[in-house]
Amino acid sequence: MRTDATKASKQGETLDAMDRASSLKRHDSRMIIHFDYDCFYASVFEAENPALKNQPLAVQQKQIIVTCNYEARRRGLYKLQLITEAKKVCPDVVIVLGEDLTRFRNASKELYSFLRKSIWSGQAERLGFDEVFLDCTDMVNYNIDILNHNDLSHSFFCLDQNDPTIGFQYDASEPFGPTYPPEAGAVSDQDLQLYQRLVLGSHLARYLRHELENEKGYTATVGISTNKILSKLVGNLHKPKSQTTLVPPYDASASSESHVTTFMDSHDIGRIPGIGFKLSQKIRARILGRQPAFDEGLVYGGTKEKVTVRDVRTFLGMGPEMLEEILSGPGSQRGIGGKIWGLIQGVDDVEVSQAKKVPSQISIEDSYTRLDTLDEVRKKLNLLSNSLIRRMHLDLMEDDDDAENTDHGISKRRWLAHPRTLRLTTRPRPAVNPDGTRSRSFNRVSRSLPMPTFAFSLTENVHALADRLVQDSLIPCFRKLHPERSGWNLSLVNVAVTNMAETAADSKDSKGRDISRMFRRQDDVLKEWRIVDEDVAPHLTDDVNDLLEGSVDEDVCSEATPPTSWESDEEVQDNVDVCGRCGLSVPSFALLAHERFHQMPD
Ligand code: TTP
Ligand code: MG
């Protein structure tokens, strides 16, 4: 077998870069399981009405199918298809409206809560509505210690340290389900421990997937590895209702190449979580030696330029310093070169975060075909503000059930946190070119201002608060953002609150009461879903909106994609990936669907 070293030198990889690669520390002691629910929105409707399961079911937002169930996919429907086309292909398709996100948000919270309770560490992190990371290191380590190495195929996975009878039987001599690579070959002594832990991780993943299906009726596609980036990416290999384990070696040796390297190398650079649209374009430009085209042609007819992780990794002189030089600029993160250098090699030390009590931002946005008058802007801001305040009430408040604070037995509400900043963002549409075409723009502009305190009123109703927010804060802010009275045309408006200040400390209550409330909350609320993350705003992507140009502009708000630990380089941080084929930016959750778009026959 060729070693990584000989292979690399063939490709002109410098020794220098190789040294740096080998100096990267991979933390292989964790066991991370990544869940991606299958056709999530459609499954939510099916869970509400199981009769839909046997019918082709599609979920509509604006004029598009955002997802459809597998019966519909079997009949030729796909994500991001126009409704009109879908009806032609499958006239008996059942179409349900998915513009109100409440049911998806609730289902997402319920499934998250279920998964979190199924593991010991409590380290469960939601990414978007339909992805969850679980840190199962402690469960796997415990079960490694109780393995009977003389009879691995009759093992028992213990799910409760206090009760050895609770668990399931499994065959610990091999992983459950598909692996990457499919034919793993013999495991070296050096890799045996990691391999064994991954085997246990794969069986735990199978158990959790089945529990999710049996108890909640949802199927998922799962990835098993030692960190977030690897578990998320490897899960994509077998969809739906399946799982994939990335098996060792994770490091190259004289006799074998690293499966992590081979796996990561095969990805387009824009597919790596954490490398947003702008970063990947900068990297492409250096590798190609010219500006990568992405803006030509029709919506889906852009360039097919592909720059893989391998192209980047083996580029002459490539390493953390070169990446730092390529990527640094105004506002860039310090040490970005080293971070990205690690990510493209599957190194990701970021912990699976625990549930957060309050989201770090709430963000509501909508996109428009044409928005070019102040009157219309005022109307849209009003709708967005109404949604924003409703969401603040839902996500930033709790019942204040202290006896002396109840009103005839009905609990009053109290704020868990006050956002300190209000932010208005717009995405101006570039003017039409002389030849009638229009350049694509992903650029957003934003302004922040202090959150006005009247917005926290518990007595005024939502409509009145929204009116005042628009009049007193958002319209003046808008005027600063767009000083010209006319001449602009906006394709998107986003209103967000950020910079949360938790209120327990400055509560009027005594310290003792706060502590008792804290314990009560731990008992009551921690068990259940609180607010784990910024709720995601699955919204139609820029390209999909372009596709819809000319269609009716609907006043449906969606919540904006939150920043994640894999931050993006967008001006307003969005969880955006770039399509490897056409270079368009697509929210991470929509990337696979978008790619399928390319595979469509003309
Ligand atoms: P995905 O994970 O892309 O799709 P999915 O879960 O429906 O299907 P799959 O089995 O292929 O994973 O997106 C998650 C949800 O996000 C999806 O159910 C609907 C929603 N969504 C949008 O709101 N807009 C979009 O453009 C896409 C693609 C999805
Ligand atoms: Mg999904």
Side-chain angles (χ1 to χ4, degrees), residues 114 174 231 292 423 466 486 521 574:
F114 178 80
E174 57 182 5
S231 61
R423 187 182 65 214
S486 61
R521 217 188 289 147
D574 270 353

Side-chain angles (χ1 to χ4, degrees), residues 6-266:
T6 51
K7 215 170 148 190
S9 60
K10 273 194 168 176
Q11 300 287 324
E13 185 174 18
T14 62
L15 266 179
D16 195 25
M18 283 173 53
D19 284 351
R20 281 192 292 256
S22 59
S23 71
L24 280 173
K25 279 248 175 308
R26 197 187 307 286
H27 295 276
D28 290 341
S29 55
R30 290 181 295 155
M31 185 54 51
I32 311 296
I33 302 181
H34 173 259
F35 276 74
D36 177 353
Y37 310 131
D38 299 320
C39 35
F40 181 54
Y41 284 12
S43 304
V44 174
F45 283 101
E46 288 177 352
E48 281 173 14
N49 178 7
L52 291 171
K53 280 193 174 165
N54 306 318
Q55 303 183 43
L57 174 70
V59 182
Q60 174 175 3
Q61 274 181 6
K62 302 215 170 182
Q63 304 304 312
I64 252 186
I65 285 179
V66 281
T67 195
C68 52
N69 68 2
Y70 279 92
E71 180 54 25
R73 294 185 199 196
R74 207 176 56 77
R75 302 219 206 164
L77 304 197
Y78 47 85
K79 290 190 283 190
L80 307 187
Q81 186 175 30
L82 282 169
I83 291 286
T84 45
E85 279 169 30
K87 282 185 178 159
K88 267 188 233 151
V89 177
C90 179
D92 54 341
V93 60
V94 178
I95 295 177
V96 285
L97 270 186
E99 284 166 352
D100 177 359
L101 304 181
T102 314
R103 52 159 60 79
F104 310 129
R105 187 183 316 113
N106 291 344
S108 172
K109 289 175 178 179
E110 186 186 336
L111 300 185
Y112 166 83
S113 178
F114 178 80
L115 287 174
R116 187 167 57 80
K117 280 187 223 160
S118 310
I119 61 166
W120 294 352
S121 68
Q123 270 179 272
E125 180 182 338
R126 213 167 53 126
L127 181 68
F129 274 178
D130 85 329
E131 292 180 50
V132 173
F133 293 97
L134 302 177
D135 188 328
C136 301
T137 311
D138 49 359
M139 296 174 89
V140 165
N141 287 350
Y142 181 88
N143 279 280
I144 284 279
D145 287 347
I146 60 171
L147 273 183
N148 174 2
H149 290 272
N150 297 319
D151 190 11
L152 286 178
S153 48
H154 297 97
S155 297
F156 184 80
F157 198 108
C158 179
L159 291 166
D160 185 342
Q161 281 160 289
N162 301 317
D163 184 347
T165 64
I166 296 178
F168 58 89
Q169 288 182 335
Y170 70 110
D171 176 359
S173 67
E174 57 182 5
F176 180 87
T179 58
Y180 177 92
E183 302 299 334
V187 182
S188 72
D189 285 353
Q190 192 191 324
D191 290 326
L192 205 55
Q193 216 187 6
L194 175 59
Y195 179 77
Q196 193 70 73
R197 294 175 55 252
L198 286 160
V199 167
L200 267 65
S202 74
H203 286 275
L204 177 59
R206 177 204 63 86
Y207 170 81
L208 294 172
R209 276 201 304 119
H210 288 187
E211 284 295 291
L212 190 74
E213 185 170 2
N214 296 339
E215 299 296 320
K216 297 286 168 189
Y218 286 79
T219 66
T221 295
V222 166
I224 302 105
S225 187
T226 53
N227 66 27
K228 282 165 64 174
I229 195 166
L230 292 174
S231 61
K232 177 176 162 66
L233 288 175
V234 82
N236 289 336
L237 295 184
H238 295 92
K239 274 174 88 94
K241 209 178 168 175
S242 186
Q243 63 181 70
T244 314
T245 307
L246 180 59
V247 290
Y250 276 24
D251 290 306
S253 70
S255 57
S256 57
E257 41 184 41
S258 153
H259 290 162
V260 171
T261 308
T262 330
F263 176 61
M264 293 303 295
D265 270 2
S266 63

